[in-house]
């Protein structure tokens, strides 16, 4: 249902934007008759409503259509090719964000006011307030431009992953670290933490088993949209580092008015958000027994 | 050799506004198998005293003592690691609020077996058997089902029984019960006290019972220690404290208990009305230089505001810290007695 609304809104919004994939204004050297023929071939001469019904019909058969600009390439094919690339970079970024974010959050909660805490506060402020493209450009300039330690574009060796993964995980690390810290501070004040200590459990067990598991809820909530966002590719980072993922395809498709690609990737992204939120809900139930009963 | 000796225990919270002296110079001895009740109002330092023994106070709290001996071990000289070996094994603890004292994310079974597996190195199967036995000991019906349940599926009384089961799981020598019945309703309170009573006899365990309710304490303890403003004001057997109280604060405490029948008249003549002590507990950020109770004491003398009263012994078990009963002073007249 959510996805259906998403499709409908995107479809009509997209057509409401002036210009089209084969508008005469852009294709100056092509005679109007040819343009008209191309338009009719793709069904673009029909009324928008009819195009919509046709599109939905094809979609129900799992067909996302054919790209208008990359001749002969199906949108399905495009997604199949781009998604694994985006997902690989995204998965690394998520792993990195979780490990560093949660780790930093926990450490700064238990050593409140220590250098670790101060460092994580600075990192979080920087990470949350500076947009990703600024960080990306900065890292590119320093590590690829000035120091020439790391390659600046493409995705052919593991060294190519370092910069884009770092850029992608920067904001999430900051956010997760802050979130973990504040909920950890709250949890460690709870009575059951005192009970755990009164059992003589080692501090590490108290912190991880009794503390962290309770404190990780808000992070899990944030994980849903984060996973969807990172796995399906980041528009900015993929473009900056010339990574052949679907984020880059999406950006190009919009400037090209490549309707089917726009639609296809939007639907894919939407479906992914829905699915990862579902996974998060399931995770909730795994962690918190109270959620299980209400399901 | 007593099981627990506290000698000149001090606990000070360092907070932004200054130093809060929660416990000041508390001394106490507890024999094996004996139980003592610590009574006092909120903030009198009774919980802080026992938590400081167990090292469970937050890091902002500084604990010092001339000596804390438990089971012939000098606790002030051992490290956290060695202290942890005692916690949950030789010292079991029951806390005030059973609703929040169990971790909501783990089953009763998992929380009950934690100390067994840690301290006694039980296998999962042994621990499970023992957990079942424990749940039966604390009279929880259908223990097999309970083991798999989560805290939210149990009532407050049941949870407190689980907490007690957890406290006695490794056959401790001492149980510290910090207001174990305060968060429960009255009928459940009685049940929990009965349970503690029968466990005490069965296991020959010493109990330190912390409460603000004298009634709760008398049902379980032979000895009472009354605290006020972080200091011991009076201690004695239950009998001595009830029938021969020497400290004006103890008189006030005894008077402010609800009487059994509404027909009896309380000391101030009002029928069936609770008597309360006028005034508020001392500000522990700036405790009075003299007796902490002096500002509220109807019998306060000038000396009370200036010097901390020395402890006067009346018998081998009975003592009070009050200038009124200081050996060289005269005993208070009968009209000042309790009602």
């Amino acid at each position: 249902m959510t996805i259906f609304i998403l499709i409908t809104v995107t479809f009509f919004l997209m057509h409401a934007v002036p210009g089209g994939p084969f508008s005469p204004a852009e294709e100056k050297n092509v005679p109007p008759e040819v343009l008209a023929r191309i338009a009719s071939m793709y069904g673009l001469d029909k009324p928008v409503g009819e195009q919509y019904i046709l599109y939905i019909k094809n979609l129900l058969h799992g067909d996302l259509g054919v790209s208008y600009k990359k001749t002969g390439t199906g949108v399905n094919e495009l997604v199949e090719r781009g998604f694994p690339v985006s997902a690989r970079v995204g998965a690394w970024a998520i792993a990195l964000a979780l490990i560093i974010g949660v780790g930093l959050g926990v450490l700064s909660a238990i050593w409140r006011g220590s250098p670790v805490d101060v460092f994580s506060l600075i990192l979080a402020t920087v990470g949350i307030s500076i947009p990703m493209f600024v960080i990306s450009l900065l890292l590119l300039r320093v590590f690829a431009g000035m120091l020439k330690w790391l390659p600046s574009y493409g995705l052919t060796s593991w060294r190519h992953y370092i910069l884009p993964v770092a850029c992608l995980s920067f904001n999430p690390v900051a956010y997760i670290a802050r979130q973990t810290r504040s909920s950890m501070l709250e949890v460690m004040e709870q009575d059951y933490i005192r009970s755990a200590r009164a059992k003589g459990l080692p501090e590490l067990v108290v912190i991880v088993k009794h503390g962290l598991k309770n404190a990780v809820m808000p992070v899990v909530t944030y994980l849903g949209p984060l996973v969807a966002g990172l796995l399906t590719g980041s528009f900015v980072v993929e473009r900056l580092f010339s990574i052949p993922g679907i984020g880059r395809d999406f950006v190009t498709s919009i400037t090209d008015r490549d309707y089917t690609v726009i639609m296809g990737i939007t639907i894919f992204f939407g479906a992914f958000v829905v699915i990862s939120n579902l996974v998060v809900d399931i995770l909730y139930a795994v962690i918190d027994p109270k959620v299980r009963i209400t399901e | 050799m007593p099981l627990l000796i506290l000698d000149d225990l001090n606990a000070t919270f360092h907070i932004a506004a200054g130093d809060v002296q929660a416990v000041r110079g508390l001394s106490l001895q507890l024999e094996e198998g004996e139980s003592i009740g610590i009574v006092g109002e909120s903030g009198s330092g009774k919980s802080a005293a026992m938590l400081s023994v167990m090292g469970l106070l937050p890091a902002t709290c500084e604990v010092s003592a001339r000596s804390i001996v438990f089971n012939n071990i000098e606790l002030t000289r051992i490290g956290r690691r060695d202290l942890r070996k005692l916690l949950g094994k030789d010292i079991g603890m029951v806390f005030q609020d059973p609703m929040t004292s169990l971790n909501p994310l783990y089953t009763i079974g998992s929380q009950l077996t934690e100390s067994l597996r840690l301290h006694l190195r039980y296998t999962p199967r042994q621990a499970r058997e023992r957990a079942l036995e424990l749940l039966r000991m604390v009279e929880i019906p259908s223990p097999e089902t309970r083991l798999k349940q989560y805290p939210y599926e149990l009532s407050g009384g049941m949870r407190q029984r689980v907490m007690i089961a957890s406290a006695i799981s490794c056959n401790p020598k001492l149980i510290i019960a910090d207001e174990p019945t305060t968060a429960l309703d009255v009928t459940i309170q009685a049940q929990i006290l009965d349970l503690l009573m029968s466990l005490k006899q069965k296991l020959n365990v010493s109990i330190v019972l912390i409460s603000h309710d004298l009634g709760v304490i008398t049902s379980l303890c032979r000895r009472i220690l009354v605290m006020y403003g972080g200091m011991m004001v009076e201690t004695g057997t239950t009998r001595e404290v009830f029938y021969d109280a020497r400290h004006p604060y103890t008189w006030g405490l005894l008077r402010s208990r609800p009487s059994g029948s509404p027909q009896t008249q309380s000391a101030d003549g009002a029928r069936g009305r609770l008597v309360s002590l006028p005034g508020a507990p001392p500000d522990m950020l700036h405790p009075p230089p003299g007796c902490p109770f002096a500002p509220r004491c109807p019998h306060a003398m000038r000396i009370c505001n200036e010097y901390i009263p020395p402890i006067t012994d009346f018998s081998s078990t009975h003592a009070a810290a009050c200038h009124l009963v200081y050996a060289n002073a005269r005993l208070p007249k009968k009209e000042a007695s309790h009602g």
Side-chain angles (χ1 to χ4, degrees):
Chain A
M1 189 59 212
T2 323
I3 295 178
F4 181 74
I5 295 170
L6 175 81
I7 294 168
T8 313
V9 171
T10 319
F11 192 89
F12 288 105
L13 268 181
M14 181 176 75
H15 281 270
V17 176
F22 308 107
S23 67
E26 284 168 38
E27 321 273 335
K28 291 204 179 74
N29 299 329
V30 184
E33 310 86 66
V34 179
L35 279 181
R37 215 172 60 229
I38 295 173
S40 77
M41 188 175 102
Y42 288 116
L44 287 170
D45 53 347
K46 296 195 182 93
V48 176
E50 205 173 312
Q51 285 185 44
Y52 172 72
I53 293 165
L54 201 72
Y55 185 80
I56 295 288
K57 221 183 266 174
N58 285 337
L59 189 66
L60 289 176
H61 293 104
D63 184 8
L64 292 170
V66 177
S67 167
Y68 297 152
K69 288 289 155 116
K70 300 187 171 84
T71 327
T73 327
V75 177
N76 293 46
E77 215 176 303
L78 213 64
V79 171
E80 275 160 34
R81 197 171 352 116
F83 175 64
V85 178
S86 298
R88 234 176 354 245
V89 179
W92 281 111
I94 291 165
L96 193 74
L98 272 181
I99 293 167
I100 297 185
V102 171
L104 216 54
V106 170
L107 288 183
S108 53
I110 55 177
W111 294 325
R112 197 175 176 182
S114 70
V116 182
D117 192 17
V118 175
F119 169 74
S120 107
L121 178 69
I122 294 170
L123 189 83
T125 316
V126 170
I128 289 170
S129 51
I130 300 183
M132 200 196 301
F133 67 89
V134 177
I135 292 168
S136 306
L137 287 172
L138 212 71
L139 291 183
L140 251 181
R141 183 87 190 98
V142 174
F143 289 101
M146 286 155 68
L147 298 170
K148 295 199 192 310
W149 285 349
L150 297 163
S152 62
Y153 68 94
L155 205 58
T156 40
S157 77
W158 64 269
R159 294 176 62 237
H160 287 88
Y161 279 91
I162 296 173
L163 278 181
V165 166
C167 295
L168 279 177
S169 56
F170 210 82
N171 291 343
V173 161
Y175 187 83
I176 291 175
R178 282 288 98 180
Q179 196 64 256
T180 310
R181 179 184 184 270
S182 67
S183 64
M184 198 66 188
L185 279 177
E186 199 186 309
V187 166
M188 292 309 280
E189 302 265 293
Q190 297 294 313
D191 287 347
Y192 51 77
I193 295 296
R194 198 180 48 185
S195 305
R197 289 206 175 110
K199 284 178 188 168
L201 296 172
E203 197 58 21
L204 190 69
V205 177
V206 174
I207 290 168
V208 176
K209 184 179 173 189
H210 291 276
L212 188 55
K213 195 172 172 189
N214 277 288
V216 89
M217 278 299 193
V219 177
V220 172
T221 314
Y222 172 63
L223 217 53
L226 178 74
V227 165
L230 288 187
L231 285 188
T232 49
S234 149
F235 310 142
V236 177
V237 168
E238 287 191 3
R239 223 186 141 75
L240 270 176
F241 291 94
S242 304
I243 295 165
I246 47 176
R248 199 184 58 167
D249 290 338
F250 192 56
V251 177
T252 345
S253 75
I254 290 183
T255 48
D256 285 353
R257 303 276 192 280
D258 199 343
Y259 288 163
T260 44
V261 178
I262 298 177
M263 283 306 295
I265 294 178
T266 309
I267 292 166
F268 184 73
F269 187 78
F272 217 91
V273 172
V274 171
I275 292 168
S276 52
N277 277 325
L278 189 75
V279 171
V280 163
D281 282 348
I282 295 169
L283 262 180
Y284 270 154
V286 170
I287 297 174
D288 191 347
K290 257 191 224 177
V291 179
R292 265 173 250 168
I293 232 45
T294 50
E295 292 290 347
Chain B
M1 187 73 189
L3 178 68
L4 179 71
I5 306 169
L6 304 184
D7 188 8
D8 196 17
L9 176 75
N10 290 283
T12 308
F13 287 91
H14 299 290
I15 59 168
D19 292 348
V20 178
Q21 299 173 11
V23 183
R24 295 190 281 169
L26 180 73
S27 298
L28 130 90
Q29 285 198 6
L30 186 67
E31 299 295 329
E32 215 158 306
E34 190 190 24
S35 35
I36 190 167
I38 302 182
V39 69
E41 53 195 27
S42 312
S44 61
K46 47 196 198 309
S47 296
M50 292 327 287
L51 287 173
S52 63
V53 172
M54 303 186 70
L56 289 180
L57 286 172
T60 51
C61 184
E62 188 190 318
V63 178
S64 67
R66 202 172 300 137
S67 156
I68 303 174
V69 177
F70 171 76
N71 200 20
N72 291 328
I73 303 167
E74 175 60 61
L75 297 188
T76 48
R77 251 180 266 131
I78 64 171
R80 291 209 65 86
R81 185 179 283 263
D82 292 317
L83 181 63
R84 273 204 294 269
K85 284 185 190 147
L86 299 174
L87 297 185
K89 184 171 183 294
D90 295 321
I91 307 177
M93 190 136 189
V94 180
F95 293 102
Q96 176 172 349
D97 192 350
M99 305 311 266
T100 54
S101 291
L102 288 164
N103 192 326
L105 302 187
Y106 293 96
T107 59
I108 301 301
S110 133
Q111 299 189 54
L112 207 47
T113 51
E114 242 178 343
S115 20
L116 292 169
R117 304 211 50 196
L118 176 77
H119 295 297
L120 305 180
R121 303 254 161 245
Y122 273 18
T123 62
R125 168 169 291 180
Q126 283 174 313
R128 203 189 108 89
E129 284 306 309
R130 173 72 177 152
L132 283 175
E133 188 190 337
L134 286 167
L135 289 183
R136 279 190 209 106
M137 278 170 84
V138 296
E139 292 152 26
I140 287 183
S142 53
E144 285 87 357
T145 342
R146 297 293 179 198
L147 276 190
K148 289 190 216 86
Q149 283 182 323
Y150 288 90
Y152 76 93
E153 295 172 90
L154 273 65
S155 68
M158 282 294 158
R159 289 189 215 184
Q160 197 60 302
R161 283 169 193 270
V162 170
M163 287 305 290
I164 294 171
S166 169
I168 60 170
S169 61
C170 300
N171 283 321
K173 294 189 169 62
L174 173 68
I175 292 176
I176 296 173
D178 187 356
E179 308 239 7
T181 58
T182 308
L184 304 170
D185 60 64
V186 186
T187 45
I188 310 291
Q189 277 188 19
Q191 291 173 14
I192 294 289
L193 288 173
D194 284 348
L195 175 68
L196 280 172
M197 188 74 187
S198 74
L199 287 174
K200 186 190 125 188
Q201 277 155 4
K202 234 182 278 176
L203 306 171
N204 188 34
V205 61
S206 298
I207 296 181
V208 175
L209 180 67
I210 299 165
S211 182
H212 56 249
D213 185 344
L214 270 174
V216 165
I217 285 184
T218 48
S219 66
L220 205 64
C221 305
R222 288 269 172 73
R223 272 175 62 207
I224 294 179
L225 188 141
V226 184
M227 277 185 85
Y228 188 86
M231 295 160 85
M232 190 270 279
V233 295
E234 182 156 5
T235 181
T237 62
T238 310
R239 223 188 148 67
E240 284 164 339
V241 170
F242 262 75
Y243 295 103
D244 193 21
R246 301 297 176 94
H247 197 283
Y249 177 64
T250 318
W251 301 340
L253 265 187
L254 289 165
R255 270 218 317 263
S256 60
R257 296 183 58 222
S259 51
S261 108
Q263 303 307 323
T264 46
Q265 290 200 331
S266 32
D268 67 349
R271 204 177 246 195
R273 282 195 65 175
L274 276 177
V275 181
S276 62
L277 285 169
D283 172 14
M284 298 311 285
L285 262 175
H286 312 284
C291 171
F293 187 59
R296 296 169 79 185
C297 182
H299 311 285
M301 303 170 290
R302 207 187 300 157
I303 188 175
C304 299
N305 289 313
E306 284 162 20
Y307 296 100
I308 290 176
I311 290 170
T312 311
D313 291 318
F314 307 109
S315 72
S316 60
T317 48
H318 194 187
C322 179
H323 287 298
L324 284 176
V325 294
Y326 185 53
N328 298 330
R330 282 164 60 189
L331 285 170
K333 290 202 186 96
K334 205 60 199 163
E335 79 254 24
S337 182
H338 48 88

